[in-house]
Amino acid sequence: MVTDVTTGPAAAVLPGRKNGRDQGLGRLYLRRFLRNRLAVVGVVIFVALVLFSAFGDLFTSYAYSDADFAALTQPPSAAHWFGTNQGGNDIYASAVHGLRRSLTIAVSVSVLTVVVAALIGSSAAYFGGRVEKVTLAVIHFLLIVPSFLILALVSNRLAGDWRVLIVVLTVFGWMSTARVIWSVSTSLRERDYVTAAEFMGVGPLRIILRHIIPNLGSLLIVNLTLGVVATVLSETALSFIGFGVQTPDVSLGTMLADGAGTITSAPWLFAFPAGLVVLLTVSMTFVGDGLRDALDPMSVTGAAGGRR
């Protein structure tokens, strides 16, 4: 039976559609997600971190670039809540700015990576043939390229500009996700609503954007969430070894690098940024696991009512 493209299965997930099925699925997914206590904890922690990065500087009179030469490498005190570093910079102010910078990079790269991967992976699956073979060959080649070394060299060459870092991390970060999306899309291209759209003369780009990618929603959401964790770790590692964000800018990675050499004599320099990195990665991992369980009907939460 031919399904009308305006009312078929894909229509239930098209942006802007509000109907009973959408609302029912939304409530079902929300109930499944809320049953996962760790996922809820992850959301609370992540929201708290976002609020801290956005408004934390309202509670201090210091900027991350200000130097208090009367308080060099001082432990936490009433004047400097998280202490100061060797240059007299306030660690609290640096942590706020560093978290903001790391979050900006992580969320931007994760969103761009998922968008690029969705377009390339679904297009390769839909067109098939030579397009699919060439696309997969490029993906497999890029997967074996030592991307970390290229990332380090390019970022260092361009003076550690965080905007360039976003571009470079995106260029070398979409391949694995694109391959997964291609694998799933190969089954979607055979669905009745795709065949019906082709029969009615709908163009390939419109079919990909309106009938294939929307039906990958759960996969894209989970990859978007977990991509934040991967990007935070990549940015932190690059900045830690001096190839990511560089002074005078600050990120969590640069703060960890500054504190690594004084971890015994001035542990607060390392402890506070390390704590933020741990909280950020753990919270997003919990959220990603919760979303995967909520959106997957075969998961423990979906199939067994959330009992673990």
Side-chain angles (χ1 to χ4, degrees):
M1 182 177 67
V2 176
T3 305
D4 180 59
V5 293
T6 61
T7 59
V13 292
L14 291 178
R17 295 281 182 145
K18 299 295 183 182
N19 52 47
R21 184 167 182 260
D22 283 338
Q23 296 172 2
L25 283 175
R27 288 193 294 267
L28 176 62
Y29 294 151
L30 180 60
R31 286 199 302 269
R32 289 177 178 173
F33 183 83
L34 293 178
R35 287 171 182 155
N36 190 322
R37 295 182 180 180
L38 288 179
V40 175
V41 171
V43 170
V44 172
I45 294 174
F46 181 72
V47 170
L49 291 174
V50 171
L51 293 175
F52 176 74
S53 67
F55 305 108
D57 51 6
L58 298 178
F59 302 98
T60 180
S61 58
Y62 293 95
Y64 74 96
S65 56
D66 292 342
D68 185 357
F69 296 109
L72 303 179
T73 318
Q74 294 296 308
S77 63
H80 300 280
W81 294 352
F82 289 2
T84 61
N85 62 11
Q86 300 92 328
N89 302 111
D90 186 76
I91 299 301
Y92 174 86
S94 297
V96 172
H97 181 82
L99 178 60
R100 184 186 305 148
R101 178 66 71 234
S102 294
L103 277 174
T104 301
I105 294 173
V107 174
S108 299
V109 171
S110 185
V111 170
L112 291 173
T113 298
V114 168
V115 170
V116 172
L119 291 174
I120 293 178
S122 59
S123 297
Y126 176 74
F127 289 109
R130 182 173 298 178
V131 173
E132 185 176 49
K133 291 180 180 179
V134 172
T135 303
L136 290 178
V138 172
I139 290 174
H140 292 156
F141 172 75
L142 292 176
L143 284 173
I144 64 175
V145 170
S147 57
F148 188 83
L149 294 178
I150 298 176
L151 285 169
L153 292 174
V154 172
S155 178
N156 187 58
R157 181 79 175 178
L158 297 173
D161 189 331
W162 64 272
R163 290 174 287 266
V164 174
L165 190 59
I166 289 175
V167 174
V168 176
L169 286 172
T170 301
V171 169
F172 290 97
W174 59 270
M175 293 84 69
S176 297
T177 304
R179 199 180 189 291
V180 174
I181 291 173
W182 162 79
S183 178
V184 177
S185 298
T186 53
S187 63
L188 293 178
R189 68 185 177 188
E190 307 296 334
R191 298 292 178 88
D192 290 342
Y193 51 83
V194 174
T195 303
E198 293 173 337
F199 179 77
M200 296 181 66
V202 179
L205 181 61
R206 189 178 180 86
I207 291 176
I208 292 170
L209 294 178
R210 297 198 62 182
H211 299 292
I212 294 182
I213 291 180
N215 284 282
L216 297 168
S218 60
L219 175 63
L220 298 179
I221 290 172
V222 172
N223 276 277
L224 176 66
T225 306
L226 298 180
V228 173
V229 178
T231 306
V232 167
L233 296 177
S234 297
E235 182 276 323
T236 301
L238 285 169
S239 298
F240 184 84
I241 62 177
F243 292 118
V245 176
Q246 296 181 10
T247 55
D249 203 354
V250 175
S251 74
L252 295 179
T254 60
M255 294 184 68
L256 289 174
D258 290 339
T262 59
I263 195 169
T264 55
S265 59
W268 61 88
L269 298 180
F270 187 87
F272 289 113
L276 291 175
V277 171
V278 171
L279 288 175
L280 181 56
T281 55
V282 168
S283 65
M284 293 307 294
T285 301
F286 287 165
V287 172
D289 289 343
L291 288 172
R292 181 178 56 201
D293 289 347
L295 297 173
D296 183 4
M298 301 304 295
S299 68
V300 175
T301 303
R307 292 188 177 90
R308 292 183 174 273

